[in-house]
Amino acid sequence: MESRCGRFILSFNGEIYNHLALRRAIEAETDIAWAGQSDTETLLHAIARWGLASALTRAVGMFALALWDRKSATLALARDRIGEKPLYYGWSNGAILFGSELSALRAASGFTARTDPRALALYLRYNSVPAPWSILQDVYKVEPGVIVTLDAGALAGPPTIPPSAAGAATTGVRCARYWSLDAIVAAGSDAAMTESSAVAELETRLRTAIADQMVADVPVGAFLSGGVDSSAIVALMREATPMPVSTFTIGFAESGFDEAPFARAVARHLGTQHHEWLVGAEDVRNLIPAMPAIYDEPFADSSQLPTALLSRMTRQTVKVALSGDGGDELFCGYNRYLVSRRVWDRIALLPQPLRAAIGRAMMQVPPGRWDAMTRLPGLPDIPMLGEKLHKVARMLGSRLDTQAIYRASSEEWRSGLPLKAEAHDQPALTLPEIARTPEERMMHWDMAGYLPDDILTKVDRASMAAGLETRVPFLDHRVVEQAWRTPLAFKKRDGDGKWLLRQILYRQVPRALIDRPKAGFAIPIGAWLRGPLRDWAEELLSEQQLRHDPWLDPQPIRRRWQAHLAGSHDWTASLWGVLMYRAWDRHWTERC
């Protein structure tokens, strides 16, 4: 869309939820006759009136955009504050390309980019490619909350490392933040905040965000797992509209993985129009060949599969769905935040060799045997106990400081990446020590990395492939800023997370329907790799196939594969990462 003055051309993807408020602000400053009702037109006028950074600071929404400025001959690329929408850019044949998918860049004549081994190293650590890297050489991602401005100097060629708002200047490329999570975290919490004011202020902002995001020209529904986050969103949606809310859940036949009964109970209590789809292993497995095309670069969070199925089912009824993502990172929900520091302090009293020996002993018990213990009389039913204990065992072998514990819980190849010597440059992500407590430091790291690079990538690509638009009320920046102003004591209490969010939810839903161990959106991929997926995985992980890969070292991968098949270890996450990379590489090579 071209501005009336002819100076700007805007390419825009996303939603500006407060665009009507922005229109009123523009109208208060100047006479204007709008050509239509679109938020793209609103944003373009706001940019022409106030400048790009100021317009984005005033905007509430999720988006990726490119703005060509004819006057300055510059291209500005920008992404929403948290990173809900993707944006790639890169160099090829003397040109600069940009798009929401790598496939868009690949469509350019002569585009021949290949895997960047440095990005592959990061991918193998985290099972996703963190911004500003992309899996391809000379192609990068715009970071959340950042404006990347390119001038003619950028045509000289690509930089050797990704341009970053935190990095050194690059010829022809400038990166600047218009919104900073680091600054919000550094400001700390409001010590004067009371319990009652914390609940009231969060509820006010959540209600506003949900009301804004329910505005659409098409039917709007919500994902519902029956957990705290999605249940809170649905409960407040119900109060925002006189119409019944449509909710969507998928269930699994495998015991221990099916949360559909919990969602069904919450939906019944809230009176939603509930849609439930019971899927079998075959439904999920049939979707695996589509993963490289859906995600467009290697991505290996196995919950991508149920997310894709849920998106397809939801799209049959509505075109927009609200999601509860972000609640864990904002309100201290993940288990790694909840492990009591007193427990780690006591463990730290043990000599490190003894801790490591205990960890090795825990790893010798296969995950299935740990899981079986939860079925014994008198013992609590803890979902995925074996996987969680193996993760704790890896932590015991590391230093017991916050970064070491976090990396042990989030990095998949702690013993060394399975890369050949040629891929010697293995960058590591910097974890800033800005927050005051260990829990808040881990929440900060997840908000900056795991949330946009994994969770939001998973949901956005799966939903877009189904023609479904997802919106995330918890990630309205006004909610995010309020959450970080809230003291940790109102998030984590008596060993449980999300205390503040639960107080809002308990007004709508009985505690008995909500209070249970956190399970996550999991499927039994590990067991399937030993069973119905074994032939598919064996073909991709065969020594012959791996030997032909220019970067992967076959030996450590084959060792993990054999140990996983034997059931002595659960290497699901690290093996799934290799499998998804191999499947993507084959897909990419065939299409090129």
Side-chain angles (χ1 to χ4, degrees), residues 498-517:
K498 305 182 188 177
W499 179 88
L500 182 65
L501 200 54
R502 291 173 191 270
Q503 306 317 300
I504 297 172
L505 182 57
Y506 290 156
R507 300 173 182 176
Q508 312 281 340
V509 178
R511 293 179 181 230
L513 294 183
I514 298 297
D515 290 346
R516 63 182 186 277

Side-chain angles (χ1 to χ4, degrees), residues 58-104:
R58 297 185 186 210
V60 178
M62 59 172 185
F63 52 82
L65 65 84
L67 183 75
W68 175 248
D69 185 338
R70 285 191 171 117
K71 182 178 179 180
S72 63
T74 57
L75 175 68
L77 305 171
R79 197 170 166 205
D80 63 68
R81 294 169 175 86
I82 310 298
E84 293 182 60
K85 285 296 175 184
L87 184 53
Y88 296 88
Y89 67 104
W91 284 255
S92 178
N93 292 330
I96 293 171
L97 312 173
F98 64 88
S100 292
E101 299 177 278
L102 291 178
S103 296

Side-chain angles (χ1 to χ4, degrees), residues 347 350-363 393-398:
I347 292 175
L350 300 175
Q352 199 280 332
L354 179 57
R355 293 201 309 269
I358 294 172
R360 288 192 297 271
M362 292 172 64
M363 292 288 285
R394 293 198 294 271
M395 294 180 190
L396 290 173
S398 65

Side-chain angles (χ1 to χ4, degrees), residues 99-358:
S100 292
E101 299 177 278
L102 291 178
S103 296
L105 278 60
R106 180 167 50 196
S109 176
F111 185 78
T112 58
R114 293 293 182 264
T115 296
D116 186 333
R118 300 168 299 172
L120 177 58
L122 290 170
Y123 164 77
L124 290 171
R125 288 186 187 278
Y126 305 109
N127 275 349
S128 61
V129 182
W133 297 86
S134 92
I135 194 62
L136 298 181
Q137 295 173 357
D138 302 333
V139 177
Y140 305 113
K141 297 188 187 92
V142 178
E143 297 169 281
V146 167
I147 300 171
V148 177
T149 305
L150 303 101
D151 60 30
L155 291 171
T160 57
I161 60 174
S164 170
T170 302
T171 302
V173 184
R174 302 189 308 276
C175 298
R177 293 195 179 278
Y178 66 89
W179 186 84
S180 172
L181 176 63
D182 287 0
I184 292 166
V185 173
S189 59
D190 180 0
M193 187 179 292
T194 64
E195 289 184 1
S196 59
S197 66
V199 172
E201 290 171 20
L202 174 62
E203 185 169 7
T204 296
R205 283 161 178 76
L206 262 180
R207 288 182 183 277
T208 299
I210 289 170
D212 288 349
Q213 296 189 22
M214 288 181 70
V215 176
D217 297 328
V218 295
V220 179
F223 297 153
L224 179 62
S225 70
V228 173
D229 304 333
S230 63
S231 298
I233 296 298
V234 171
L236 296 180
M237 286 178 70
R238 186 190 64 165
E239 293 196 341
T241 175
M243 304 296 293
V245 175
S246 294
T247 53
F248 302 88
T249 302
I250 60 172
F252 299 96
E254 285 81 359
S255 61
F257 294 90
D258 185 18
E259 289 196 299
F262 304 118
R264 193 183 312 133
V266 172
R268 187 182 302 116
H269 178 81
L270 293 175
T272 72
Q273 291 184 341
H274 193 55
H275 305 259
E276 182 180 308
W277 186 20
L278 183 65
V279 300
E282 197 67 21
D283 297 303
V284 180
R285 293 194 296 268
N286 287 341
L287 196 59
I288 290 174
M291 289 298 102
I294 288 176
Y295 284 89
D296 212 39
E297 78 174 331
F299 182 77
D301 182 333
S302 61
S303 62
Q304 66 200 108
L305 294 164
T307 302
L309 286 171
L310 176 61
S311 296
R312 289 183 177 185
M313 182 194 77
T314 303
R315 180 58 182 83
Q316 296 172 12
T317 305
V318 300
K319 294 185 177 180
V320 177
L322 271 57
S323 164
D325 292 305
D328 287 305
E329 293 81 359
L330 288 173
F331 301 105
C332 203
Y334 289 130
N335 290 320
R336 56 178 166 266
Y337 311 152
L338 301 175
V339 175
S340 171
R341 274 177 284 176
R342 289 180 296 177
V343 173
W344 289 115
D345 288 344
R346 290 169 182 170
I347 292 175
L349 296 175
L350 300 175
Q352 199 280 332
L354 179 57
R355 293 201 309 269
I358 294 172

Side-chain angles (χ1 to χ4, degrees), residues 526 528-531 534 537-538 558-569 571 575:
W528 292 349
L529 289 175
R530 298 185 187 99
R534 180 169 179 168
E538 182 62 59
R558 292 294 302 174
R559 283 195 295 271
R560 286 203 175 186
W561 177 231
Q562 295 302 323
H564 186 84
L565 290 177
S568 61
H569 291 73
W571 293 124
L575 291 172

